């Protein structure tokens, strides 16, 4: 109990310091612009609007420090509703305010690459890993409804990936690649949701083998995973006659591509095969088809999360990608639940994306051919068939033994 009180006090103090620093930075940025110091030559009206918007997001955060939060059930209904609304509002607000302020501050750095610039960006990257912890504990973790938790988890992941820490380019190429890629957002998301999920009462995923898994099945899954990774990245078949044709040409070794492939394996798996899957399994406990429904639900969300790719690729390519992601997501979930080795779907996913990115030299898909659609149908059937096998018969009992706390 004493440990918990010390932790809560530390978080409250951290949040309070960060809260006043945010308001101070907004005030400094505003005053500098009013005094004629340009912010990336932005018009005064835009600067004023941005600063006022950030203040509106930030100021209500002080109510999170209300000592009566724990006794909100004794409050009036409208007070409880306001407190709950503020949990959502502040979670979203801080996810916008923190990276925006850091990006604005970076705009004042010299345009050329300097040691000072690199030091500042290094500190920003390191702090970005933990800067959401206070709001995670004081707001995100206080959300009680299943729908609210799932929705906010998705929005948090989306905002982390969407808002850059800096638009400045005067940094070392490696630091710039770390900043421009999504890897830091992925690690930050893992750290934040690990703490939040623990507060919600969930155990973190295990990265060790389940001793009750059959060795023959494990060997089959290893071989199948390797074959899938190889043909996904290097397969160039355009007809059945070329089905075994492989091209090992590497078209790009961009660090940003590599890091973005790694990000997908980390963030998307942590979100869909841990956060969302566990929340659904908990909500469906004691149901007959608990595992099946939870896997389908989390995989459907994983599939729909690829729809925004419409902004950079064709409709046909996006639909194909979404269907492929749905069947692959079900397979990933089944492998994890059967083996209890969370590293497996993470490594499987990251390897597929990294190799696909460097062999194609891009992160988007080309317009699919009729042969691509046929391959998709066959691949999806295979994925779903293996998943159904892992979740049936004695294997299903193994899954239940692996996760008794979720039953």
């Amino acid at each position: 109990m004493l440990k918990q009180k010390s932790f809560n006090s530390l978080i409250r103090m951290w949040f309070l310091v960060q809260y006043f620093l945010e308001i101070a930075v907004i005030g400094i940025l505003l005053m500098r612009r009013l005094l004629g110091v340009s912010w990336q030559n932005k018009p005064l009206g835009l600067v004023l609007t941005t600063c006022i918007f950030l203040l509106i997001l930030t100021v209500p955060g002080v109510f999170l420090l209300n000592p009566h939060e724990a006794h909100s059930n004794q409050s009036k209904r409208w007070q409880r509703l306001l407190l709950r609304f503020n949990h959502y509002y502040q979670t979203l607000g801080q996810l916008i305010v923190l990276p925006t302020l850091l990006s604005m501050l970076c705009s004042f750095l010299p345009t050329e690459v300097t040691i000072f610039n690199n030091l500042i960006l290094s500190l920003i990257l390191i702090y970005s890993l933990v800067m959401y912890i206070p709001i995670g504990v004081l707001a995100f973790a206080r959300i009680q409804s299943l729908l609210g938790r799932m929705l906010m988890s998705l929005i948090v992941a989306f905002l982390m990936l969407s808002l850059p820490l800096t638009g400045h380019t005067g940094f070392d190429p490696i630091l710039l690649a770390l900043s421009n890629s999504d890897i830091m957002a992925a690690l930050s998301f893992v750290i934040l949701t690990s703490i939040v999920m623990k507060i919600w009462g969930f155990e973190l995923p295990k990265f060790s083998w389940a001793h009750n898994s059959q060795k023959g099945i494990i060997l089959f899954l290893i071989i199948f995973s390797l074959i899938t990774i190889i043909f996904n990245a290097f397969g160039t078949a355009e007809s059945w006659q070329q089905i075994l044709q492989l091209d090992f040409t590497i078209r790009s070794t961009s660090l940003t591509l590599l890091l973005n492939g790694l990000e997908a394996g980390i963030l998307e798996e942590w979100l869909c095969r841990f956060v969302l899957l566990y929340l659904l399994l908990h909500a469906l406990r004691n149901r007959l088809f608990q595992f099946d429904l939870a896997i389908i639900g989390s995989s459907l969300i994983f599939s729909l999360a690829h729809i925004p790719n419409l902004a950079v690729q064709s409709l046909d390519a996006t639909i194909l990608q979404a269907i492929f992601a749905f069947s692959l997501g079900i397979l990933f979930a089944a492998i994890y639940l059967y083996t209890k080795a969370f590293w497996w779907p993470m490594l499987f996913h990251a390897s597929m994306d990294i190799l696909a990115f460097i062999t194609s030299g891009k992160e988007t898909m080309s317009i699919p051919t009729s042969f691509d659609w046929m391959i998709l149908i066959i691949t999806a059937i295979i994925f779903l068939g293996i998943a159904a096998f892992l979740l049936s018969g004695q294997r299903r009992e193994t899954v239940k033994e692996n996760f008794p706390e979720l039953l």
Side-chain angles (χ1 to χ4, degrees), residues 50 212 383 392:
T50 303
N212 53 356
F383 288 170
S392 62

Side-chain angles (χ1 to χ4, degrees), residues 345-373:
M346 292 181 81
L347 182 60
F348 197 161
H349 191 161
S351 299
M352 289 183 71
D353 279 12
I354 290 172
L355 291 176
F357 290 170
I358 65 175
T359 53
S360 66
K362 57 184 181 180
E363 298 180 46
T364 56
M365 292 181 61
S366 303
I367 298 176
T369 64
S370 57
F371 181 72
D372 291 328
W373 286 103

Side-chain angles (χ1 to χ4, degrees), residues 38-197:
S38 65
W39 165 48
Q40 291 185 328
N41 298 316
K42 301 296 184 184
L44 177 59
L46 177 60
V47 177
L48 283 171
T49 303
T50 303
C51 290
I52 292 171
F53 173 69
L54 294 176
L55 277 172
I56 291 171
L57 289 177
T58 304
V59 171
V62 73
F63 294 108
L64 294 176
L65 300 173
N66 180 5
H68 302 297
E69 271 263 358
H71 309 288
S72 60
N73 289 333
Q74 301 172 9
S75 305
K76 295 180 180 178
R77 187 169 184 273
W78 67 268
Q79 292 174 319
R80 294 198 303 271
L81 289 175
L82 278 178
L83 286 173
R84 290 171 188 170
F85 171 77
N86 199 37
H87 296 157
Y88 292 90
Y89 185 75
Q90 285 305 306
T91 302
L92 293 176
Q94 290 298 300
L95 263 292
I96 295 171
V97 170
L98 285 168
T100 302
L101 287 180
L102 291 175
S103 181
M104 291 170 73
L105 286 173
C106 283
S107 68
F108 293 109
L109 293 174
T111 54
E112 66 276 5
V113 179
T114 65
I115 294 177
F116 178 74
N117 281 14
N118 291 334
L119 175 62
I120 293 298
L121 183 57
S122 298
L123 293 174
I124 287 175
L125 292 176
I126 293 170
Y127 188 65
S128 72
L129 296 175
V130 297
M131 66 184 181
Y132 301 113
I133 290 176
I135 201 64
V137 174
L138 295 176
F140 190 11
R142 288 174 174 172
I143 294 173
Q144 297 300 316
S145 76
L146 170 68
L147 182 61
R149 288 175 173 181
M150 292 180 63
L151 185 61
M152 287 307 301
S153 297
L154 286 166
I155 294 175
V156 165
F158 175 77
L159 288 175
M160 283 186 173
L161 293 173
S162 302
L163 297 173
L165 293 172
T166 177
H168 201 279
T169 57
F171 304 110
D172 177 84
I174 294 178
L175 289 175
L176 203 55
L178 286 170
S179 176
N180 291 339
S181 70
D182 296 323
I183 188 64
M184 301 306 292
L187 296 175
S188 179
F189 181 80
V190 168
I191 292 171
L192 171 64
T193 51
S194 295
I195 295 171
V196 171
M197 289 291 280

Side-chain angles (χ1 to χ4, degrees), residues 299-311:
S299 299
L300 181 61
I301 295 172
F302 176 57
S303 169
L304 295 175
H306 290 80
I307 298 300
N309 290 342
L310 270 171

